[in-house]
Amino acid sequence: MSKYICIFCNERKNNKTAYKICGHIGICQHCFDAIDKTAPSMPYPGTKNIAYIMSPFEYTKNIRQTILDFKFKSCYAYAPLFACLMEDYLNSYNIWDTFNYIIPVPLHKQRLKERGYNQSELIAKYISEALSIPMLTNTLKRIRYTQRQSSMQKMDRVLNVKNAFSCEESLSGKKILLFDDICTTGNTLQACASALNKAGAEHICALTLAIYVVQKLPIITY
């Protein structure tokens, strides 16, 4: 009988219990039901340079720990499964053909060397394929090494990423979908969007796997 490992409860389970399976890993229906979900087709407010932010899950409970494992414990095989988990949410929108490019938030070359992979780029690769939006990975660069945002206070986070990104190619008139794994304060996304705006991007929206929600929107199960 076919089995998989649920990356949320770390148990080996029968395929019949799965919500999604990707290779030898997946998420069981029980764990998926426990994730806090956001409302489909209801984006969150953006920032100065971002029209709005879209995200299917709230950054709470077990999805938080699973994302941290993905980022810091070399669990890069989770990327295609995370993309699969976003599928229903992505299908609730009909805007994807309006974007010229999807751009993942870049890591500084030193951080990339330390970690070995850019977690946002790994997920964005599968989102790019699913939505048929070309992905750019060398246009937006992190030009200054920064401390981890999670280790800092709110106001310090703003200064930490200010002018940390640069866009070295023209994006004049382009509509950009900016992708990151999580959105907490939105400061990293805003810093990236500022660089994209300076490069001429006409319209910028953000998409993340999970978002820290201060004011909850109505939850619609999908």
Side-chain angles (χ1 to χ4, degrees):
M1 188 173 293
S2 298
K3 293 190 175 184
Y4 68 100
I5 296 176
C6 175
I7 66 171
F8 286 76
C9 63
N10 294 314
E11 294 182 9
R12 182 175 293 277
K13 297 191 173 185
N14 187 298
N15 281 9
K16 293 181 180 179
T17 69
Y19 172 74
K20 293 282 187 182
I21 296 177
C22 191
H24 298 296
I25 60 175
I27 177 173
C28 67
Q29 186 67 52
H30 175 76
C31 287
F32 180 76
D33 290 342
I35 298 174
D36 289 324
K37 303 168 186 68
T38 67
S41 299
M42 290 185 66
Y44 288 86
T47 65
K48 180 180 178 181
N49 297 116
I50 297 175
Y52 49 84
I53 301 170
M54 299 166 283
S55 189
F57 304 111
E58 293 188 25
Y59 191 52
T60 58
K61 297 181 180 179
N62 51 355
I63 197 168
R64 179 181 183 276
Q65 185 57 54
T66 306
I67 292 174
L68 292 176
D69 290 344
F70 171 58
K71 292 176 70 168
F72 303 122
K73 295 186 178 180
S74 298
C75 296
Y76 44 82
Y78 290 5
L81 179 60
F82 282 147
C84 285
L85 292 183
M86 298 178 71
E87 183 178 1
D88 290 341
Y89 179 83
L90 295 175
N91 288 340
S92 73
Y93 287 88
N94 62 356
I95 59 171
W96 307 118
D97 60 352
T98 65
F99 292 100
N100 299 108
Y101 302 111
I102 181 171
I103 297 180
V105 171
L107 293 180
H108 187 271
K109 58 183 179 181
Q110 182 177 334
R111 182 64 51 77
L112 182 61
K113 184 178 180 180
E114 294 169 354
R115 188 174 300 172
Y117 57 96
N118 179 344
Q119 76 282 349
S120 295
E121 183 178 326
L122 291 183
I123 302 175
K125 173 181 178 292
Y126 293 97
I127 299 297
S128 169
E129 294 172 356
L131 301 180
S132 298
I133 305 174
M135 182 172 72
L136 298 180
T137 57
N138 295 314
T139 301
L140 181 65
K141 297 183 182 298
R142 191 183 292 246
I143 57 176
R144 183 166 55 79
Y145 188 83
T146 58
Q147 296 183 48
R148 289 176 179 169
Q149 291 285 83
S150 59
S151 66
M152 310 184 75
Q153 297 297 316
K154 185 174 181 180
M155 291 308 299
D156 292 333
R157 293 185 182 199
V158 176
L159 298 176
N160 188 44
V161 294
K162 185 177 181 180
N163 298 321
F165 299 91
S166 175
C167 192
E168 300 176 358
E169 298 179 22
S170 173
L171 293 173
S172 180
K174 302 300 182 183
K175 297 182 178 180
I176 304 299
L177 181 62
L178 181 62
F179 184 85
D180 205 3
D181 56 343
I182 59 173
C183 174
T184 50
T185 62
N187 291 315
T188 299
L189 290 172
Q190 166 55 26
C192 289
S194 178
L196 295 173
N197 179 263
K198 290 177 181 178
E202 177 183 299
H203 183 71
I204 304 166
C205 292
L207 174 67
T208 68
L209 171 63
I211 187 170
Y212 176 73
V213 178
V214 177
Q215 182 177 0
K216 292 180 178 292
L217 294 176
I219 301 302
I220 302 175
T221 304
Y222 53 79

